[in-house]
Amino acid sequence: MSLETSANLQVRARRGQQGRLLFAGVASQSIEYYDFFVYGTAASLVLNTQFFPSADPVVGVLAAFATFAVGFAGRPIGAAVFGHIGDRFGRKPALLLAILIMASSTMLIGFLPGYGTIGVAAPIILALLRILQGISLGGQWAGSTLLSIEHAPANRRGLFGSLPQVGVSVGMVAGTLVFLFMGQVTTNEQFLAWGWRIPFLLTVVMFPVAYIVHRHIEDTPQFQEVEAKLNERMRAPRSSVLQVLRQPQQVLLIAFAYLPPTIMFYVVSTGLLQYAVSDLHLAKDLMLFVVMISMAAFAAGTIFFAWLSDKVGRRWLYAAGAAVTGVWGFVMFPLAETRSFALLTLAACVGMIAVGMMFGPGAALWAEMFPTGVRYSGISLGTQLANVIGGGLAPFIMVALLAATHTTVSVGAYVALGSVLSLLALAMLRAPREVAKHA
């Protein structure tokens, strides 16, 4: 075999591996977020009556959103557990285990009897399964993201890192379509009785994705290099989680920097949905369609701004997204209150494009803040902490603010506060010399 033929085969093999990686990253992220967000949609539409019956509708909604937030409480646990697994044993086994936990817990929610059948045990078990979902997602995000970034050429890390993030919108759109379909083929009574369970049970498709990851994906070259050095030293490394937490400044700065995309994402995808249906009395299917369109805008924005970050740098682009988010929080709700489909769509889409300005460059930006040996733990802990104090509480805080102040200006101020904290944190972030590129 000639050297040229051998080189061509190696190029094809590398491209084939990259293709399988990107497929696995997008697919696993899509289905993980489908599972996680299906709960958010169900919390907005049905779980308050099925698991938290109350004479006061606001109390029922708050209870449903409280269990939505409980899932986020599990995410730092997942970040710590899977961060250690991912840094010590590889990105691939951590991702595989996270997928299996998410698939199992989501399907069990689909089978769980409601409050009317098993009483107070129903919301308790629901909360526990929601925590398992959070633990899974807390570990899965970094796994799929690092598999893409650490296989990427140095000048395309932003673009490669953004592709698994597109799975967020794919999962959300898929979940929305399933809910729209179930709304069309069932009566309201049927939907409340059993129709809402179907989206949860469809998560069975995660198991073939787990098989693909197990059989056809190799771990990243950067991790393999670090693993080889550790094996040469013939000793086990210290816990990467403990190494990161001994100098927690970087994790905390990433957490604060990541607040505006997590807040705005959930304010649009979950909070705005509930507000429009309950307070503005708009049709559920209409709002699900608006959210679905905004997810397409989010995906396009994520890919475009990630590609752009490889050309012009990540930090200032991310800062621009945070600033737009802070301003748009005050504009979005007045547009929604017109009850115009076009203006509702504009409100949601601009909010999600601003999120894409941060999600796109953000994956590579966070990865560039940590050396390979502690990277899984570092980015997991930082981003998942932000998801707890930002995304997980956002719908709950939004409903509580509206109930207390009777004005959406308070929600805009809440979004703006997250943006200010983000800009301050971005100004203080510093990447280690050995990984600082395009930051």
Side-chain angles (χ1 to χ4, degrees):
M1 182 182 294
S2 67
L3 291 177
E4 182 178 357
T5 303
S6 177
N8 288 337
L9 289 174
Q10 289 178 1
V11 169
R12 288 198 198 100
R14 185 167 61 252
R15 288 177 177 173
Q17 174 70 1
Q18 287 179 344
R20 290 191 296 271
L21 277 166
L22 294 177
F23 167 78
V26 174
S28 63
Q29 197 96 307
S30 298
I31 303 171
E32 284 263 338
Y33 276 93
Y34 166 87
D35 291 349
F36 202 74
F37 291 143
V38 155
Y39 186 97
T41 303
S44 301
L45 302 176
V46 68
L47 294 186
N48 57 320
T49 59
Q50 294 295 304
F51 291 89
F52 307 97
S54 171
D56 186 345
V58 174
V59 172
V61 171
L62 286 173
F65 279 153
T67 55
F68 181 76
V70 161
F72 286 81
R75 289 171 75 156
I77 300 172
V81 172
F82 288 98
H84 175 73
I85 296 172
D87 285 326
R88 179 64 186 97
F89 302 103
R91 297 11 178 163
K92 172 182 167 178
L95 175 60
L96 180 62
L97 181 59
I99 290 173
L100 293 174
I101 291 175
M102 177 64 85
S104 302
S105 57
T106 304
M107 289 189 67
L108 287 174
I109 291 176
F111 287 114
L112 182 62
Y115 185 92
T117 303
I118 61 174
V120 72
I124 292 174
I125 297 173
L126 179 66
L128 292 174
L129 292 173
R130 181 65 178 164
I131 291 172
L132 281 177
Q133 281 190 317
I135 290 172
S136 168
L137 194 58
Q140 183 275 341
W141 180 85
S144 61
T145 298
L146 289 181
L147 276 173
S148 297
I149 290 174
E150 292 181 350
H151 274 92
N155 63 344
R156 300 182 72 190
R157 288 202 298 256
L159 179 60
F160 273 58
S162 74
L163 294 178
Q165 315 316 312
V166 173
V168 178
S169 61
V170 173
M172 186 71 179
V173 169
T176 303
L177 285 173
V178 173
F179 269 102
L180 283 171
F181 176 77
M182 294 308 301
Q184 293 296 317
V185 300
T186 62
T187 64
N188 188 58
E189 291 75 18
Q190 290 172 331
F191 182 81
L192 291 175
W194 56 267
W196 66 271
R197 298 179 181 275
I198 302 301
F200 289 92
L201 299 178
L202 288 178
T203 196
V204 67
V205 299
M206 270 191 105
F207 292 103
V209 174
Y211 176 79
I212 292 172
V213 171
H214 175 65
R215 290 297 301 270
H216 300 292
I217 300 298
E218 297 176 5
D219 228 312
T220 70
Q222 291 183 41
F223 172 78
Q224 291 174 357
E225 181 181 345
V226 170
E227 185 181 41
K229 290 179 180 178
L230 289 172
N231 290 336
E232 287 175 7
R233 296 173 190 164
M234 301 294 290
R235 64 179 178 86
R238 292 176 297 172
S239 167
S240 59
V241 177
L242 293 179
Q243 291 181 59
V244 168
L245 292 180
R246 284 194 179 100
Q247 295 181 317
Q249 300 94 327
Q250 199 82 327
V251 170
L252 292 174
L253 288 174
I254 288 177
F256 282 110
Y258 200 53
L259 283 179
T262 62
I263 292 173
M264 177 60 85
F265 189 96
Y266 290 102
V267 163
V268 173
S269 63
T270 302
L272 185 62
L273 172 63
Q274 190 276 330
Y275 175 71
V277 173
S278 299
D279 293 62
L280 301 181
H281 306 293
L282 295 172
K284 174 187 68 179
D285 288 354
L286 172 70
M287 284 310 302
L288 287 173
F289 190 58
V290 168
V291 170
M292 185 170 62
I293 294 173
S294 75
M295 288 298 113
F298 163 72
T302 297
I303 294 175
F304 173 75
F305 288 111
W307 169 83
L308 189 61
S309 77
D310 285 327
K311 309 293 182 183
V312 303
R314 313 197 202 288
R315 193 186 300 259
W316 77 267
L317 201 56
Y318 191 101
V324 171
T325 298
V327 173
W328 197 249
F330 292 102
V331 178
M332 181 170 60
F333 287 97
L335 290 176
E337 287 164 358
T338 65
R339 295 176 171 82
S340 162
F341 173 74
L343 294 180
L344 271 166
T345 304
L346 176 66
C349 285
V350 173
M352 283 301 188
I353 290 172
V355 173
M357 290 180 71
M358 294 172 281
F359 261 49
L365 178 59
W366 310 144
E368 290 163 351
M369 294 296 120
F370 296 96
T372 304
V374 298
R375 184 173 292 151
Y376 203 121
S377 296
I379 69 171
S380 291
L381 290 169
T383 56
Q384 299 314 323
L385 181 59
N387 273 297
V388 172
I389 61 180
L393 292 175
F396 184 89
I397 290 175
M398 176 181 159
V399 173
L401 286 172
L402 290 174
T405 66
H406 306 289
T407 174
T408 58
V409 174
S410 60
V411 182
Y414 163 58
V415 174
L417 175 62
S419 294
V420 171
L421 292 173
S422 175
L423 292 171
L424 292 174
L426 281 171
M428 299 168 66
L429 266 176
R430 294 291 181 270
R433 288 182 182 178
E434 65 268 27
V435 294
K437 290 182 181 181
H438 303 294

